[in-house]
Amino acid sequence: MVTVPGARPITAPGWTGQPRLDLGLVDCDVHQGIKQPEDLYPYLPRVYREQMIEQGGMRIPGSGYFNVPQNAGRTDLAAANCDATKHSTHKMGNSYEQLRDEHLDLWHVDYALLTGAGVYGASVLPDPDFAAALCRAFNDWTMEHWIARDERLIMAMAVSTSDPRLAVREIERIGADPRVRAIMLPTGNRMPYGNRFYHPIWEACERHGLVIGIHPGNEGAGLAGPPTGVGYPTYYIETRMARPQMAMAHAVSLIAEGVFEKFPRLKVLIDECDQFWAVGLMWHMDADWKSLRDQTPWVKRLPSEYFREHIRVGSQPMLEAANNEQFLCMLDAMHADETLVYSSDWPHWDWDDPATTFPKLPEHLHRRVFADNAREMFGL
Amino acid sequence: MPLDPSSDIRRVVAGRVEEIPPGERKLIVPFRGRAGIGVFNVNGDYHALRNLCPHKLGPLCTGRVSGRPEAVAPPSSYAGEPEIERDGEIVRCPWHLWEFDITTGQCLVDPKMRVKTYPVAIEEGEVVVYADPADLPPQPPSGAAVPATMARGRSAE
Ligand code: FES
């Protein structure tokens, strides 16, 4: 008999969590990743293929912080790949079959948003042309190896912001495909996302009905600023705690720079940056808007109104309150029935399964968080 | 209704019209230790507001009088320079800078908020604040040099 390290959750001893089959399930953060740079070669122009061979990889800048284990992946999934001792899922990519068997079928997922891996760094690569080519290649690879194989998959296309014209060109190329429902950007970048520099990209997203996805990545790497407002922390756990700072910086910037006045149909998904920062942001920004509105007169309404209408927050990693009463209070304060969407972050070690992540929610709220908010955001 | 619930004063003379020219204001304190009333001249029309901000009870009428900047979303200046609208009609409470429309008492950043306003009449060259519109003197005949309305007084100038 073979001993498999890790355990598939549904068969683990004591496991009682079951998905609610009758309520619908949309997962707003599922990572697909290449196994090696060579996977992208068929989709890249020759000049970049050769550069990658010479340079030995994708030249995606790193920030030097740890992740665990062996980068990010669940070791039980690696075990299912039958080579757990050598490979983590993230480091070696993952496969559609694994996603189908270990996630979509297992949890009865109706739709899953593919949010990519690795190419987040394109936006902070020094060479914007190579960055754009890399995104295009990753998108084509995703289309062929994932999207084409399962109706339940939708895609947040990779886009590099470093040259907005090239980003728009890529959106024009595939953004009209009904399976493409979003673009995916890293939290770490050169400027907050409300800046006018990005507006041509947002214009293209609105025209194609694409959600702007923002996900941790690149903080402190390549051309991006440091992961916190006070500079570079020392350990990985500190960069995780810094995610709400980055989420808030982008959300505030989008509101303050009038992006939602200019592009009133735009939606933004902020994944994997915690959730309850949204409460403090809405309360404080509303109060400050009442005092300082004259400095940003294009912000016509309370900031919280823009937030509730345009910004959606992924549920992973779902904060664990001291007790359910506090937890439900915070959900109420962030208007979770409008703003919160379920995200699993499959297949990473810090993922949130659909059955045990939340305490029992009122039926209405459960439907909003697990399916309806996301369906409305993506037009599903 | 008296100007202050604890007294029976119903009518206060704020001063002569020339003491409060357009763009100026005068603070009157009819009752010792009370917040008082701000009497503003906005382009020749007089308005009286209670000097007590409905937000957190700041001295609203001592705040800066200005207008409301308007501009389109960035890059704003592509569409022209930002403009000030309703210049001189807005007072900003000094405590947290909330804007109030002097002519109506309406708070401009929170539709649920309104500062108390009082009727003003011009009587023989004096600016008079009333506690209750019912006490206002009868309207002068039309064409008279000194019209008085329910909500505001107009200087003779
Ligand atoms: S007390 Fe007047 S704005 Fe707060």
Side-chain angles (χ1 to χ4, degrees):
Chain A
M1 193 186 114
V2 183
T3 306
V4 181
R8 295 178 56 182
I10 207 76
T11 55
W15 180 266
T16 56
Q18 292 293 333
R20 289 282 306 273
L21 297 184
D22 53 326
L23 293 180
L25 183 56
V26 180
D27 186 342
C28 295
D29 187 16
V30 166
H31 294 285
Q32 87 280 22
I34 55 173
K35 290 192 195 311
Q36 61 264 317
E38 288 80 354
D39 293 349
L40 296 184
Y41 285 1
Y43 310 95
L44 279 166
R46 191 175 141 204
V47 63
Y48 294 125
R49 266 197 326 265
E50 290 180 1
Q51 281 182 11
M52 281 171 68
I53 292 166
E54 281 174 14
Q55 304 282 328
M58 289 160 66
R59 315 206 306 269
I60 295 281
S63 52
Y65 293 105
F66 251 102
N67 197 331
V68 287
Q70 294 176 46
N71 272 355
R74 272 168 50 193
T75 47
D76 61 315
L77 293 176
N81 269 350
C82 301
D83 213 354
T85 51
K86 284 201 194 127
H87 309 309
S88 78
T89 53
H90 187 76
K91 195 169 186 178
M92 300 306 293
N94 44 31
S95 68
Y96 161 68
E97 289 78 8
Q98 192 178 36
L99 173 64
R100 180 193 61 203
D101 297 345
E102 303 287 338
H103 192 59
L104 302 180
D105 290 352
L106 189 62
W107 298 100
H108 306 275
V109 176
D110 294 310
Y111 289 100
L113 180 72
L114 295 178
T115 50
V119 287
Y120 287 66
S123 288
V124 297
L125 266 170
D127 177 350
D129 298 298
F130 175 58
L134 214 48
C135 290
R136 187 172 67 227
F138 187 78
N139 290 334
D140 286 344
W141 173 84
T142 300
M143 286 277 193
E144 184 176 336
H145 293 277
W146 301 76
I147 290 290
R149 300 179 69 185
D150 200 309
E151 294 282 309
R152 292 169 291 187
L153 298 177
I154 55 174
M155 175 175 164
M157 59 183 283
V159 158
S160 163
T161 57
S162 45
D163 182 337
R165 271 178 75 175
L166 295 179
V168 170
R169 187 195 287 178
E170 179 64 358
I171 291 171
E172 299 298 351
R173 189 179 73 93
I174 61 168
D177 188 306
R179 306 290 292 284
V180 177
R181 298 284 173 151
I183 66 168
M184 192 41 74
L185 303 176
T187 49
N189 208 326
R190 282 185 278 180
M191 285 177 289
Y193 286 131
N195 192 285
R196 64 190 69 185
F197 172 81
Y198 303 107
H199 290 195
I201 312 177
W202 307 163
E203 192 275 328
C205 286
E206 188 189 47
R207 197 152 26 83
H208 288 284
L210 301 181
V211 172
I212 300 170
I214 303 174
H215 186 290
N218 294 354
E219 51 272 32
L223 306 179
T228 80
V230 292
Y232 291 85
T234 306
Y235 300 112
Y236 175 61
I237 190 170
E238 297 175 84
T239 69
R240 292 173 68 86
M241 297 305 107
R243 288 174 185 172
Q245 295 177 28
M246 291 181 280
M248 292 172 82
H250 289 306
V252 167
S253 168
L254 287 160
I255 294 169
E257 299 241 19
V259 167
F260 302 121
E261 280 293 328
K262 242 173 124 169
F263 309 110
R265 287 177 290 129
L266 209 53
K267 298 270 192 263
V268 174
L269 165 66
I270 302 181
D271 258 333
E272 203 167 353
C273 289
D274 302 359
Q275 301 80 31
F276 296 146
W277 52 267
V279 177
L281 185 153
M282 287 191 270
W283 290 356
H284 192 176
M285 201 173 178
D286 278 3
D288 276 6
W289 177 84
K290 288 176 183 172
S291 300
L292 305 174
R293 189 215 70 98
D294 62 316
Q295 295 175 8
T296 55
W298 44 85
V299 183
K300 301 285 180 206
R301 296 187 284 145
L302 283 174
S304 64
E305 292 179 28
Y306 294 106
F307 195 104
R308 290 167 61 182
E309 190 176 327
H310 295 279
I311 299 181
R312 300 294 172 258
V313 179
S315 67
Q316 179 276 339
M318 194 67 231
L319 296 172
E320 296 174 31
N323 57 56
N324 289 349
E325 199 178 32
Q326 285 181 0
F327 184 79
L328 292 171
C329 257
M330 294 301 282
L331 288 189
D332 191 38
M334 76 175 286
H335 301 274
D337 60 333
E338 299 168 346
T339 61
L340 188 63
V341 294
Y342 171 69
S343 290
S344 73
D345 192 33
W346 187 93
H348 293 164
W349 64 267
D350 50 349
W351 86 304
D352 281 343
D353 74 79
T356 65
T357 299
F358 287 83
K360 185 166 170 43
L361 298 178
E363 181 96 359
H364 166 76
L365 186 56
H366 186 111
R367 283 182 195 277
R368 298 297 311 174
V369 171
F370 279 90
D372 293 352
N373 285 343
R375 281 186 202 276
E376 286 167 15
M377 169 171 62
F378 294 125
L380 292 169
Chain B
M1 190 181 62
L3 277 162
D4 179 84
S6 64
S7 85
D8 51 6
I9 296 176
R10 301 175 63 86
R11 177 183 183 279
V12 175
V13 176
R16 298 208 50 83
V17 288
E18 55 272 20
E19 278 179 63
I20 317 174
E24 297 293 316
R25 87 195 90 176
K26 183 174 180 185
L27 225 64
I28 56 173
V29 186
F31 326 101
R32 190 187 301 274
R34 303 281 167 184
I37 293 170
V39 184
F40 295 81
N41 182 336
V42 178
N43 303 319
D45 290 332
Y46 290 91
H47 305 272
L49 310 180
R50 190 182 200 176
N51 185 30
L52 194 68
C53 180
H55 177 222
K56 293 193 172 172
L57 312 184
L60 171 61
C61 297
T62 65
R64 196 162 69 87
V65 173
S66 64
R68 222 171 133 82
E70 286 300 337
V72 298
S76 316
S77 46
Y78 288 15
E81 296 307 317
E83 295 190 353
I84 305 269
E85 291 183 359
R86 308 196 57 206
D87 199 15
E89 296 178 30
I90 288 154
V91 61
R92 300 185 72 183
C93 175
W95 279 16
H96 312 98
L97 305 181
W98 287 21
E99 299 161 321
F100 289 81
D101 183 338
I102 299 171
T103 67
T104 62
Q106 177 63 49
C107 177
L108 297 180
V109 295
D110 185 340
K112 297 186 297 293
M113 293 272 186
R114 174 182 285 278
V115 61
K116 180 160 177 51
T117 59
Y118 301 97
V120 183
I122 307 301
E123 296 170 18
E124 294 168 0
E126 287 183 324
V127 183
V128 184
V129 179
Y130 282 86
D132 189 331
D135 294 342
L136 278 171
Q139 295 258 0
S142 68
V146 185
T149 66
M150 293 289 282
R152 64 190 190 192
R154 190 167 176 83
S155 69
E157 46 62 63

